[in-house]
């Protein structure tokens, strides 16, 4: 597996699963072992050679095409964490949070704050949504506002629930993302919320990006799919968050 990753430069979990005729859960577990012994480096949805020094971050369009069924289930399950009508919600940028925004009920009145341009465009004009778009520099990769203006605005906020995405999540490193500015915005979102909910498909479990923006203890609810290993679930729940399997 490590040799194939080295030859190809980058392989997805699904490609490895098909190539070796094993489950994606087995692939993720094996990649974690190979990373610990220094043979590969895990990235979003797959692995690159350990010698790769570049920080690889998938664009929003690419991520939206990966693990679509799992993300749909996660987004639907996360609807259970919405506050009562009239509540305030903070929505992070990302492919799974974008699906979550699409599924929001049209008869449930909410105030929604987001830094994600695609999510704001999707929700604009909905009569039950009081929409607020955060200021800042918009990154082309994630189409999300980041920077000092974004952080300042978030520091003034107090919302009922923040729904966050992540590029990786492990017991040791917590929730992480490759970009410093993106991590700073996510960190401020965690600080602005009474309840923190992380939406992630199981391909991110066991993966680590460079910058941590939250520990597991700072997450109240983790919503993921049934590809998560039972051992990981027990470890995560022992650290603090309730784990909801979609």
């Amino acid at each position: 597996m490590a040799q194939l990753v080295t030859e190809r430069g980058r392989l997805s979990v699904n490609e490895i699963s098909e190539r070796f005729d094993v489950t994606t859960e087995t692939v993720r577990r094996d990649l974690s072992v190979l990373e610990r012994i220094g043979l590969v480096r895990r990235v979003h949805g797959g692995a690159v050679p350990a010698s790769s020094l570049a920080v690889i971050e998938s664009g929003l369009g690419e991520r939206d095409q990966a693990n679509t069924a799992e993300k749909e289930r996660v987004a639907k399950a996360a609807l259970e964490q919405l506050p009562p009508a009239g509540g305030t919600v903070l929505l992070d940028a990302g492919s799974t949070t974008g699906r979550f925004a699409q599924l929001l009920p049209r008869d449930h009145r909410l105030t929604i704050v987001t830094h994600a341009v695609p999510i704001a465009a999707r929700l604009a004009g909905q009569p039950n949504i009081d929409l607020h778009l955060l200021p800042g520099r918009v990154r082309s990769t994630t189409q999300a506002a980041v920077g000092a203006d974004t952080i300042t605005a978030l520091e003034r906020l107090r919302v009922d629930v923040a729904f966050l995405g992540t590029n990786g999540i492990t017991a040791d490193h917590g929730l992480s993302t490759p970009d410093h500015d993106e991590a700073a915005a996510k960190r401020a979102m965690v600080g602005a919320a009474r309840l923190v909910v992380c939406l992630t498909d199981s391909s991110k479990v066991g993966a680590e990006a460079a910058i941590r923006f939250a520990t597991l203890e700072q997450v109240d609810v983790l919503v993921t799919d049934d590809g998560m290993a039972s051992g990981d679930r027990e470890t995560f729940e022992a650290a603090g968050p309730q784990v909801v399997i979609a």
Side-chain angles (χ1 to χ4, degrees):
M1 189 182 292
Q3 182 178 354
L4 191 62
V5 171
T6 301
E7 291 172 354
R8 300 279 185 87
R10 176 172 180 157
L11 277 177
S12 71
V13 169
N14 288 336
E15 287 173 326
I16 298 171
S17 172
E18 292 173 4
R19 172 68 175 78
F20 292 100
D21 193 24
V22 295
T23 66
T24 55
E25 181 180 331
T26 296
V27 172
R28 284 191 288 270
R29 185 169 58 246
D30 289 350
L31 287 178
S32 295
V33 173
L34 292 173
E35 183 176 50
R36 283 198 295 270
I37 61 179
L39 293 180
V40 303
R41 185 162 67 89
R42 291 198 64 180
V43 295
H44 169 68
V48 296
S51 59
S52 175
L53 298 178
V55 175
I56 298 174
E57 184 177 14
S58 302
L60 185 60
E62 180 184 343
R63 281 184 283 163
D64 197 41
Q65 300 303 312
N67 305 315
T68 55
E70 290 85 354
K71 290 176 180 178
E72 190 77 13
R73 295 204 308 271
V74 168
K76 286 180 180 178
L79 293 173
E80 296 294 326
Q81 306 302 322
L82 283 172
T88 52
V89 168
L90 188 55
L91 267 182
D92 188 15
S95 56
T96 308
T97 50
R99 290 174 184 275
F100 175 79
Q102 281 184 308
L103 296 171
L104 288 172
R106 298 298 183 100
D107 59 351
H108 194 74
R109 186 169 52 86
L110 292 169
T111 294
I112 292 186
V113 183
T114 186
H115 69 147
V117 175
I119 289 177
R122 186 171 290 135
L123 297 177
Q126 290 192 19
N128 64 312
I129 300 295
D130 181 14
L131 179 65
H132 298 259
L133 180 60
L134 293 167
R137 173 182 63 85
V138 177
R139 295 186 68 224
S140 58
T141 307
T142 58
Q143 299 173 38
V146 297
D149 290 340
T150 312
I151 302 304
T152 299
L154 284 165
E155 287 174 344
R156 298 180 181 138
L157 285 178
R158 189 63 169 166
V159 301
D160 294 315
V161 188
F163 293 92
L164 302 180
T166 186
N167 293 76
I169 179 169
T170 64
D172 293 335
H173 193 47
L175 286 68
S176 55
T177 192
D179 183 79
H180 284 274
D181 289 338
E182 200 90 31
K186 289 175 181 287
R187 197 174 296 120
M189 288 181 184
V190 171
R194 294 183 179 91
L195 184 76
V196 177
V197 181
C198 176
L199 286 66
T200 181
D201 67 86
S202 59
S203 71
K204 317 283 184 59
V205 177
E208 292 182 350
I211 315 299
R212 178 172 60 201
F213 63 86
T215 64
L216 282 178
E217 290 82 357
Q218 292 174 294
V219 176
D220 298 293
V221 182
L222 171 66
V223 187
T224 187
D225 61 78
D226 56 9
M228 183 183 199
S230 58
D232 286 329
R233 179 176 183 175
E234 292 170 2
T235 300
F236 282 22
E237 287 189 322
Q242 173 192 359
V243 177
V244 175
I245 302 297

